[in-house]
Amino acid sequence: MNSPNEPLSRDHILIEDDRTGTSVETLRRAILDNLFYIQGKFPEIATANDYYMALAYSVRDRLLHRWAKTVETWLQKDVKIVCYLSAEFLMGPHLGNNLINLGIEDPVRQAVEAAGQNLDDLLQQEEEPGLGNGGLGRLAACYLDSLATLQVPAIGFGIRYEHGIFHQEIRDGWQVEKTDNWLHLGNPWEIRRPEIHLQVKLGGHTIRERDAEGREHVRWIPDRVVRGTPFDTPISGYRVNTCNTLRLWKAEAAKSFDFQAFNIGDYYGAVDKKVISENLTKVLYPNDEPIAGKRLRLEQQYFFVSCSLQNIIGIHLEAGGRLAELHKLWAVQLNDTHPAVAVAELMRLLVDEHAMDWDTAWQVTVETCGYTNHTLLPEALETWPLPLFQSVLPRHLEIIYEINHRFLQQVRERFPGDNHRLARMSLIDESGERSVRMANLACVGSHAINGVAALHTELVKKDVLRDFFEMMPQKFSNKTNGVTPRRFMVLSNPGLAGLIKRTVGDGWATDLATLRQLEPHADDP
């Protein structure tokens, strides 16, 4: 091997340098190599999308060392890992963002031109990962970007929807919704992890048993079991080596093909379990007006929450951790109420699956979970009709009843005789159709509650969650929902970003307070 100061000839280029170097020639060669060895195309027949895929794989190659080193560093150090649970991640296209974060846009542009292509054209080829429909999903994406840039260990957990937010057409003045088939040409940024497959139970009933020592245990007998398989995407930080992970779960059948049914000519029956299971992650926000749509939404939410928590516990135990100290190494943030069932699921896993006593499990759960509220409208706070919830998650309803019983006792002691407050704070809404209040569950089962802007948080405390603020004000704080300046300025408006850089320097992209230095130039056209 050459010494560090010895120049490398073409014949002595180190494999890792040849694979992940950022010179124009190395990048050009990498694009053509990935075009041939991954796409199976040669330049004369390659389409613009083929070149986009080859470029995307080339950029991903340059993230992999950072990605692996980040995980290795976590394992070596006693760090606390943020787990951001969200039903939406509106990440936006990855290619341009990664070029900015890696600082290689200029050499990549030249390499693409040397390969006979135009970078702007290739950027347009990327399908938008429509895994969200607004502020909730974009907030989650901004947090992942910011966490990586701040080099905070973090994993985003969500659902790999096969079809994202709909494409819109206007016909005769009316909106027409079309399928968003964003995966039809493949996704070069994700890596499937088939060796990880977690079992998620749905439906059925519970039975109570006693072990040899006379202790009572609850066993959940499900109607069906779905398997969750993760797809991982590297999330790069801005001009740092940290590369965090977005892990999205796909639902698959535990048994995808019934050979006996097929043999007797029941060809549809042979694959019906596969179809039913995969429906869980087919569509972002299925229509929940019919009861079948409500059921599917609840199953979706529980599916990704259960997979994520099982995964977290598995990693924790494999690393030699004690479950009683889970909260010291893992922070589970609930992005609105979609993942709020995590409170009951973590209790189930600790008490039922790992035989932890209730009080210890509750302390671990509360200290592990945090809740971000997104709405001021009481009617927008998520609730589930009791019969539906029980039919999908019978064990969780039992756990929620027990949490509610213990919590309401605390409310009675704190506010004796205030029955109206008891009714408002209960996890079960008894007015009209009985239902489970997911926001109440999230508040009771979390150690921290935040809004997404200063005014919003104040209104949350004064209005929609007033009872909880009055009882436990120490839980409430504000976390302002910002934007990612790298995507919204450096990437989308390079001309303005360059002007700012020439005027106040390069630090503003990670410290927006630096923009105050522009004020003396306000009169400079």
Side-chain angles (χ1 to χ4, degrees), residues 384-448:
W384 293 107
L386 223 57
L388 171 63
F389 196 93
Q390 184 170 29
S391 69
V392 176
L393 303 171
R395 177 55 180 149
H396 297 76
L397 186 58
E398 294 175 353
I399 290 171
I400 288 171
Y401 279 149
E402 181 64 22
I403 294 171
N404 199 39
H405 170 72
R406 293 172 182 240
F407 172 66
L408 291 183
Q409 188 57 39
Q410 295 174 4
V411 178
R412 289 188 187 96
E413 293 171 1
R414 180 74 180 277
F415 304 98
D418 193 342
N419 291 328
H420 291 298
R421 185 185 296 268
L422 274 175
R424 294 193 304 267
M425 298 185 75
S426 174
L427 307 190
I428 308 298
D429 184 358
E430 305 282 356
S431 62
E433 182 184 28
R434 298 178 73 212
S435 58
V436 182
R437 294 165 164 161
M438 302 309 286
N440 291 24
L441 176 63
C443 287
V444 174
S446 298
H447 69 279

Side-chain angles (χ1 to χ4, degrees), residues 321-368:
R322 295 175 58 247
L323 279 184
E325 298 179 343
L326 184 75
H327 56 289
K328 295 181 179 179
L329 295 174
W330 300 87
V332 174
Q333 189 67 29
L334 312 176
N335 193 26
D336 212 15
T337 52
H338 307 113
V341 73
V343 174
E345 172 65 357
L346 186 51
M347 286 296 291
R348 185 191 72 83
L349 291 169
L350 294 176
V351 173
D352 293 357
E353 302 293 333
H354 295 279
M356 186 179 286
D357 68 273
W358 180 278
D359 290 338
T360 303
W362 183 244
Q363 179 189 357
V364 170
T365 296
V366 173
E367 289 301 313
T368 300

Side-chain angles (χ1 to χ4, degrees), residues 257-294:
F257 186 76
D258 188 335
F259 189 72
Q260 296 304 321
F262 189 85
N263 258 357
I264 62 173
D266 185 6
Y267 304 133
Y268 290 104
V271 294
D272 64 349
K273 290 182 180 178
K274 173 181 171 67
V275 172
I276 292 170
S277 297
E278 291 184 358
N279 275 342
L280 270 180
T281 52
K282 280 286 183 187
V283 179
L284 168 69
Y285 291 155
N287 179 13
D288 64 354
E289 289 182 6
I291 190 65
K294 282 187 172 66

Side-chain angles (χ1 to χ4, degrees), residues 497-516:
L499 174 62
I500 295 173
K501 179 180 177 180
R502 291 193 298 274
T503 308
V504 303
D506 202 20
W508 68 273
T510 53
D511 181 12
L512 285 180
T514 306
L515 294 179
R516 286 283 183 187

